[in-house]
Amino acid sequence: MVTGDQTALRLPLCCAGCGAAAGHSRCERGWQATAGLIVPYCSDCLRHVARPRLLALAATLASLLSALAAAVLLPLGAGVSVLMSSLGALVFATVPLLLCWGLATLGFPGQLTCPVFFTKDGLVCARHAYALELAQLSQSRVVRRWLRPRLFNRTAWFGPLTALVLTPFAFELTHPPLRVINLADERIVVFADRLRLGDVLPSSSESPAAGQEFRVPAGRHQLVARTIQGQTVASVSVRIAVGRAHLFAPGAPAGCFWLERRAYGKERRAEHEREPLESEERFWVMPSEVDSWFVPLPEEDSSLVSGGLLTALRQGHCR
């Protein structure tokens, strides 16, 4: 390694890689982005120098594309959790970088070494003779050190970071919430297809904590509710919609649930609206404007609401 002021270095005119006549050159950036040297190379050495950087660029792009694909596709699998999806996407994003690092470490295909590269302490030359000649021209000092050029820059982290950040959002989007209300006298077990979602305790009255919320992949599923003894309470084929909330109340009587709307401020009306929820399957896809579940709306003269229209999902007369 040649130490000294990087901006005052004077390079020999021969090829930095093999010492032959140089017919080409390449700008090597220093530790500071503004510093740079025009390094002479012959045709063969110029190709050798370009290979690791092209390989690193290809690995960075492959890592980013793998992260995007894995973040979108892995959450669609049955029974996967957000942690499993995130770890899987991280693995897919890291594999191209590890393969590139392995090729560079093993030194194939071709010569994947850089004859001249910068560090924060000085300029590193792979050929000792070239370093001595450079130090003589630049009136600098030569220090023997075992160093390797940095293969990746900061952009190589885009793929793994994208996998860790994007996967939880994709999981939330592709796994809409399903609220299950148990109106029976005993605990039930809920299944989506053959996947067990969990147990739901009985709920006899309207409460924000009533039932149990699960995350189910979007698409068509067979929802089955069974007692602990294995008796089937309900079995319906439903479609889970992306970006919407869902309600499943096996065994609920008609008229048990309704949407309640109330206007405030300038939109205040004489009577608030009440829309019963009817479904033979006892399954509903909730409108996007639902503001609260199983909580009474504030009174029209309440100071908590200044104006607008609020919608609540209500429950009553279920037993």
Side-chain angles (χ1 to χ4, degrees), residues 106-130:
L106 296 176
F108 66 87
Q111 179 187 352
L112 292 181
T113 58
C114 188
V116 176
F117 61 94
F118 279 102
T119 67
K120 62 180 180 180
D121 298 322
L123 184 68
V124 178
C125 301
R127 291 179 57 245
H128 184 62
Y130 191 84

Side-chain angles (χ1 to χ4, degrees), residues 247-259:
L247 174 65
F248 181 44
C256 182
F257 300 96
W258 69 89
L259 292 177

Side-chain angles (χ1 to χ4, degrees), residues 245-268:
H246 305 78
L247 174 65
F248 181 44
C256 182
F257 300 96
W258 69 89
L259 292 177
E260 190 173 278
R261 298 181 178 88
R262 180 171 292 177
Y264 302 87
K266 295 182 179 180
E267 298 184 8
R268 183 175 178 179

Side-chain angles (χ1 to χ4, degrees), residues 58-68 89 92-97 156-160:
T60 301
L61 293 177
S63 173
L64 182 59
L65 294 176
S66 299
L68 292 174
F92 276 97
T94 308
V95 166
L97 302 178
W157 294 102
F158 286 174

Side-chain angles (χ1 to χ4, degrees), residues 179 181 203 206-212 293-295:
R179 186 82 164 264
I181 302 296
S203 176
E206 183 180 50
S207 170
Q212 188 73 28
W293 288 51
F294 309 133
V295 176

Side-chain angles (χ1 to χ4, degrees), residues 52-67 89-101 150-164:
R53 300 187 181 184
L54 290 176
L55 183 62
L57 177 60
T60 301
L61 293 177
S63 173
L64 182 59
L65 294 176
S66 299
L90 180 62
V91 170
F92 276 97
T94 308
V95 166
L97 302 178
L98 293 178
L99 290 176
C100 178
W101 177 82
R150 185 173 56 180
L151 183 62
F152 296 106
N153 53 26
R154 294 184 180 91
T155 59
W157 294 102
F158 286 174
L161 288 178
T162 299
L164 293 177

